[in-house]
Amino acid sequence: MSTLFLLVLLLLVVVVILLAAGAAYVVHRHPSWSQPLTAAFSAVTLMGVLVGLILTR
């Protein structure tokens, strides 16, 4: 694997951790936002799975 690929992968992991921490903070401060955030993350996960399936074919 190239160094650039590993750096991009590390950056992606850091961004995902920061987004998850931000979402956890928002839900902690405003509990009424938990359902919309759950729906949004579910939609993003579903789209990620679909893109992964499309790219593997």
Side-chain angles (χ1 to χ4, degrees), residues 9-35:
L9 188 62
L10 178 63
L11 179 63
L12 182 62
V13 168
V14 170
V15 168
V16 167
I17 289 172
L18 287 174
L19 285 174
Y25 175 76
V26 167
V27 169
H28 177 71
R29 297 285 289 168
H30 306 284
S32 64
W33 285 26
S34 66
Q35 189 173 6

